[in-house]
Amino acid sequence: GIALRVPNPNVSVVDLVIQVEKPTIAEEVNEALRAAAEGPMKGILHVEDTPLVSSDMKGTNVSSTVDAALTMVMGGDLVKVVAWYDNEWGYTQ
């Protein structure tokens, strides 16, 4: 994956692509991320279902917000997750 600067001086986006061992679908990936966000990563990770733009992330308290609408699975084992974060605020929380 890659991290991109977006047209906001304090916000970046991560484009994470991984190959998984077991076949999956986007909904299962998002469910696993939600379980983490509501459990051991509460306050660190957030999963959002509404459309997002970079300015939505300015000043967010979590370290990373998954843009669930952009989660993709290709060929059953190649997973793409897009997550936003505030460079100046969220990582320090």
Side-chain angles (χ1 to χ4, degrees), residues 41-45 57-64 85-93:
M41 297 191 75
K42 188 172 185 159
I44 299 168
L45 179 68
M57 296 300 105
K58 189 172 180 190
T60 56
N61 288 330
V62 296
S63 294
S64 190
Y85 61 96
D86 184 316
N87 298 313
E88 306 299 325
W89 185 263
Y91 78 96
T92 62
Q93 304 300 315

Side-chain angles (χ1 to χ4, degrees), residues 2-92:
I2 58 175
L4 305 168
R5 282 296 266 191
V6 293
N8 185 313
N10 297 329
V11 177
S12 289
V13 62
V14 174
D15 178 343
L16 176 68
V17 179
I18 58 171
Q19 189 168 16
V20 295
E21 292 181 6
K22 298 178 183 177
T24 190
I25 58 174
E27 291 79 11
E28 289 177 337
V29 173
N30 284 336
E31 286 174 20
L33 291 167
R34 277 189 191 89
E38 294 168 3
M41 297 191 75
K42 188 172 185 159
I44 299 168
L45 179 68
H46 176 71
V47 179
E48 184 60 53
D49 293 305
T50 59
L52 298 171
V53 296
S54 59
S55 60
D56 293 332
M57 296 300 105
K58 189 172 180 190
T60 56
N61 288 330
V62 296
S63 294
S64 190
T65 299
V66 173
D67 194 335
L70 299 180
T71 300
M72 292 189 255
V73 176
M74 293 154 276
D77 67 346
L78 192 62
V79 177
K80 176 177 179 154
V81 175
V82 175
W84 299 87
Y85 61 96
D86 184 316
N87 298 313
E88 306 299 325
W89 185 263
Y91 78 96
T92 62

